[in-house]
Amino acid sequence: MAIDTTIVVPTYNESGNVPELVRQLREAFADREAEILFVDDSTDLTPVVIREMQHQQAGPAGVRPGVPATPVRLIHREAGLRTGGLAGAVTAGIASAAGDFVVVMDADLQHPPALAPLLRDRLTTAGVDLVVASRYDGSGDASGLGSVWRQRVSGASTLLSRALFPRRVGAKCTDPMTGFFCLRRDAVDLGRLRPRGFKILLEILVSHDVSVHDQPFVFGSRVTGESKASWRNGFAFVHQLLSLRFSRPFRFAAVGALGLVVNLLVMAGLLKLGTGYVAASVLATEITIVHNFVLQERFVFEPHLGAAPLRFTRLQRAWRSLLYNNLDALARTPLLIVLVEVARLHSVGAQFLTLVLSFAARFLFMAKFVYEPRTPVPGLVRPLAGAKPNLLEEGMAS
């Protein structure tokens, strides 16, 4: 059977919702060429329940006899392979989709399964690349979020996203924070995505100039299980926004500027304690190297890598960073001495000049020789028809 639509469902400990979700999706997509693809990061029995669904051959009640059940596939990502969080799971699902059209939805039944085929059909009738199930357009409703606090956070996050990206998001989509949408598989270049956190739609909108249609929907109430929303996810979202809005060189410069302040403050403090300016420069530089490495790991290079595995481990990156920055400091020391002894500049001002001069070389070295990803990126290449499945992928029920 040729697959038209793949329903990608990322799951994390949703064992109580999976059977009902599969039942409703099979009912909604009866007589359609579709498949249900779970990408699972669970630590409970969710993958076991999904495997049970794979072996159910009969179609749902009320469907014409002899119609086979919509097939179910499972990609279970073991601990250590769950790159990119929820967004990474969705990206892996899109990469493995057999259909030309992909519906992405949550497993908690807050996204009504009956609406999924409508999103697919609207994609064709509207002639767009992406149809978004919106809680904030027309008759849409976000009351299923539960508390007033969560509704306000969701609304504020939506407004912020649209304001930061006025052309690709604000002018096109009323709900870039939703996890329920349908896209043309060939409209998304997975190589552009750097999945992180849990807002993959925002990532797609920002990195692609796609045509969008908003379809109002009512966000339902969770049936079983617990919401995954947390303060940590909120921080990850802010981090994602800043990473998308500001380029990597900009973020590198921001970290460098902060490190520059730390360096100069430490050096000035050491000079007041009577330390010689060369020794003060060396000590301030060592402290700054550690400071910058920690922030670069978290805010500069890591969020830009997404699903791409790094060539070096964190320890190897730390040693390479330490080695380069110390060689850089060694090379800057003679210049520092010349600026102080010959040009008669204040030692702190001279230190500032040497740090600014070394910025570009430091960024290029870090990007190429410390944070270089392995190539090609695994899991982001769509399998050809008839190709063997990914080793992490478990079979399809016919």
Side-chain angles (χ1 to χ4, degrees), residues 91-284:
T91 303
I94 296 173
S96 184
D100 292 325
F101 303 91
V102 178
V103 173
V104 177
M105 63 186 302
D106 292 344
D108 53 17
L109 296 171
Q110 292 183 286
H111 296 157
L115 184 60
L118 175 60
L119 297 182
R120 159 63 187 94
D121 293 342
R122 192 72 75 203
L123 200 67
T124 300
T125 57
V128 295
D129 301 313
L130 181 66
V131 174
V132 173
S134 173
R135 298 162 292 182
Y136 304 111
D137 181 62
S139 57
D141 186 2
S143 59
L145 285 169
S147 68
V148 174
W149 168 250
R150 286 192 62 198
Q151 293 176 36
R152 288 178 177 173
V153 169
S154 174
S157 300
T158 298
L159 289 174
L160 181 60
S161 301
R162 297 182 68 194
L164 283 176
F165 306 96
R167 186 176 70 85
R168 291 198 172 183
V169 179
K172 295 181 178 182
C173 182
T174 59
D175 193 359
M177 310 301 290
T178 184
F180 194 14
F181 56 92
C182 180
L183 56 83
R184 296 181 185 274
R185 172 60 182 77
D186 59 7
V188 176
D189 179 2
L190 297 180
R192 295 186 194 176
L193 301 181
R194 298 294 181 265
R196 75 216 88 177
F198 60 110
K199 298 302 178 185
I200 187 62
L201 176 60
L202 178 63
E203 188 93 27
I204 292 172
L205 290 169
V206 171
S207 60
H208 295 74
D209 192 7
V210 292
S211 53
V212 182
H213 174 79
D214 282 349
Q215 177 64 41
F217 93 107
V218 176
F219 191 68
S221 299
R222 170 176 281 274
V223 178
T224 66
E226 296 179 354
S227 171
K228 309 304 185 293
S230 65
W231 285 106
R232 184 175 182 179
N233 285 336
F235 177 78
F237 166 67
V238 173
H239 185 191
Q240 179 185 18
L241 273 184
L242 294 177
S243 298
L244 289 170
R245 178 68 277 178
F246 301 110
S247 67
R248 184 163 50 162
F250 179 92
R251 284 179 277 126
F252 185 83
V255 169
L258 183 58
L260 178 63
V261 173
V262 171
N263 187 298
L264 298 180
L265 288 176
V266 171
M267 184 173 179
L270 291 172
L271 290 174
K272 284 188 176 182
L273 294 176
T275 308
Y277 74 87
V278 175
S281 170
V282 171
L283 289 172

Side-chain angles (χ1 to χ4, degrees), residues 268-297:
L270 291 172
L271 290 174
K272 284 188 176 182
L273 294 176
T275 308
Y277 74 87
V278 175
S281 170
V282 171
L283 289 172
T285 296
E286 293 304 317
I287 292 173
T288 305
I289 288 172
V290 175
H291 168 275
N292 286 0
F293 177 76
V294 171
L295 294 187
Q296 286 163 8
E297 283 278 299

Side-chain angles (χ1 to χ4, degrees), residues 22-28 30 57-64 67-70:
V22 171
R23 186 193 70 77
Q24 291 191 33
L25 281 174
R26 282 175 165 168
E27 186 174 302
Q57 303 292 329
V63 176
R64 181 166 51 86
V67 176
T70 303

